[in-house]
Amino acid sequence: MNAFAETMLDVARVRSDFPILEREVHGKPLIYLDNAATSQTPSAVIDTLDDYYRRYNANIHRGLHTLADEATAAYEGTREKVRAWLGAASHREIVFTRGTTEAINLVANSWGRANLRPGDEIIVSLMEHHSNIVPWQMLAEALDVTLKVIPVDERGVLDQAAYRDMLGERTRLVCVNHVSNALGTVNPVAEMARAAHEHGALILVDGAQAVPHQRVDVQALDVDFYAFSGHKAYGPTGVGVLYGREALLEAMPPWQGGGEMISRVSFEKGTVYSEIPHKFEAGTPAIAEVIALGAALDWIADTGIDLMAAWEHHLLERATDKLKAVDGLRMIGTAPDKVSVLSFVVDGAHSQDIGLLIDQLGVAIRTGHHCAQPMLASMGLDATCRASLAAYNTPEEVDAFVEALQKVIAMVR
Ligand code: PLP
């Protein structure tokens, strides 16, 4: 499979789509391994942004002129692309947000405030990004709701038995990531959704780290809410998506008021909200970015998500083997089902020093808590180094990264 993938993904062609990969950092060729934070954007996405501002920049939905029509068609065209990409039943189930964080806050503030009562329970996992923890903590405090936390074992695998034990008649919502940004663990969300539904609870899945790396089908997974961000999936910053089942979105109140989300406003007769999904898109959205997100999904589709996934898997295995051989290095996150992420600590070397020094050699990795402080703390850590892969990375880059790491470790020890 790996040899097959290596021959099938034309990585040189993939790389030629990303102008930024030609740049140097501190006089060295850039090796970009911070893709879990933000992936790079192909020319097709950059050109789409440029084309919008050069040719048809206009506000959407209410205009009667040609530019407004064109912008509206392109914006709504992306909604249809996202629907198809996620396998959603209807474009009405796709809400544009600023990112995963805003999508989760939307559910917390709209669905949460309308449906939760004191004593209700929300289950989150220990390996969540802060954006899938803090909105629920805020809600729990405001509504006197209890948060329960699914533990993680030493490999970075969720304890499914503990999860099933936690589910009960007070459980209203389960919040879990599809892929952990700090560990790369792929969680069995379809199985977790089934268990949640058996107890009458809903499930919200944070797909920020899954959408760029694997096929996602919200109907096959049978999840109720699914969120992701454009900038981690070869798209622009400032745009993300909330998928929500149609019946749920229909019943949820809007969470922000303003233009775009109403069909009529009157002081005498009250305000009538728009249909979904517009009810949840108050104000002028990130029009150019939404349209460019469509270009990013087209780029992934043209490149081939399965091919990209196989290629990244091959790189992950190569990098894992090489890192394991580094003296004093400990991998953090060794789940059997993993994508893209290599988190590690090194005896006698502070993660931040490694991050700073390896940058001098042209290698971009991330160091710190990766917005997953509770999980790192449970492992007795406050920081790791994290290298994260994308489809444009190469085996040569993996080798050069590990070589650079060894040089840096020799310097700091
Ligand atoms: N969830 C996960 C798993 C993430 O990795 C991130 C970002 O790192 C987020 C949520 C937050 O995404 P955003 O900052 O785009 O809203």
Side-chain angles (χ1 to χ4, degrees), residues 199-281:
H199 288 81
L202 301 181
I203 185 164
L204 174 147
V205 177
D206 167 354
Q209 299 295 342
V211 168
H213 302 294
Q214 62 184 53
R215 215 171 262 284
V216 172
D217 183 327
V218 290
Q219 291 193 79
L221 294 172
D222 198 21
V223 295
D224 301 293
F225 298 107
Y226 196 96
F228 75 95
S229 299
H231 69 103
K232 295 180 196 290
Y234 306 100
T237 55
V239 58
V241 167
L242 172 70
Y243 157 81
R245 272 188 213 280
E246 187 162 350
L248 288 170
L249 292 182
E250 283 279 15
M252 282 160 53
W255 78 303
Q256 289 180 341
E260 300 273 345
M261 51 74 73
I262 48 83
S263 65
R264 193 196 63 219
V265 176
S266 153
F267 283 114
E268 296 73 33
K269 296 181 190 155
T271 290
V272 180
Y273 304 128
S274 301
E275 297 278 300
I276 58 166
H278 306 293
K279 181 168 79 172
F280 298 109
E281 294 178 5

Side-chain angles (χ1 to χ4, degrees), residues 17 28 38 79 82 105 122 150 159 195 212 220 254 308 313 320 334 362:
D17 286 342
K28 306 277 189 317
T38 288
R79 201 186 305 276
V82 174
N105 276 276
I122 298 177
I150 311 169
D159 183 339
M308 291 162 67
H313 184 69
T320 305
T334 53

Side-chain angles (χ1 to χ4, degrees), residues 11-33:
V11 75
R13 196 202 63 73
V14 168
R15 288 180 71 81
S16 71
D17 286 342
F18 293 81
I20 204 168
L21 297 180
E22 281 163 28
R23 74 162 283 184
E24 295 193 339
V25 171
H26 303 300
K28 306 277 189 317
L30 168 67
I31 298 180
Y32 188 78
L33 296 173

Side-chain angles (χ1 to χ4, degrees), residues 30-49:
L30 168 67
I31 298 180
Y32 188 78
L33 296 173
D34 193 18
N35 296 288
T38 288
S39 54
Q40 298 302 342
T41 34
S43 299
V45 171
I46 301 167
D47 293 349
T48 301
L49 290 165

Side-chain angles (χ1 to χ4, degrees), residues 48-116:
T48 301
L49 290 165
D50 185 75
D51 185 49
Y52 169 80
Y53 285 111
R54 284 182 193 282
R55 287 200 315 109
Y56 61 104
N57 175 20
N59 215 325
I60 51 171
H61 293 142
R62 297 172 308 266
L64 289 177
H65 58 81
T66 301
L67 266 57
D69 269 354
E70 289 177 6
T72 303
Y75 180 92
E76 291 302 328
T78 292
R79 201 186 305 276
E80 173 52 28
K81 284 180 191 176
V82 174
R83 182 210 65 73
W85 191 253
L86 293 182
S90 162
H91 66 278
R92 287 159 52 82
E93 300 180 315
I94 306 299
V95 179
F96 290 119
T97 64
R98 280 195 302 122
T100 306
T101 304
E102 191 175 73
I104 295 170
N105 276 276
L106 189 166
V107 177
N109 284 287
S110 170
W111 179 88
R113 286 182 184 273
N115 290 284
L116 295 172

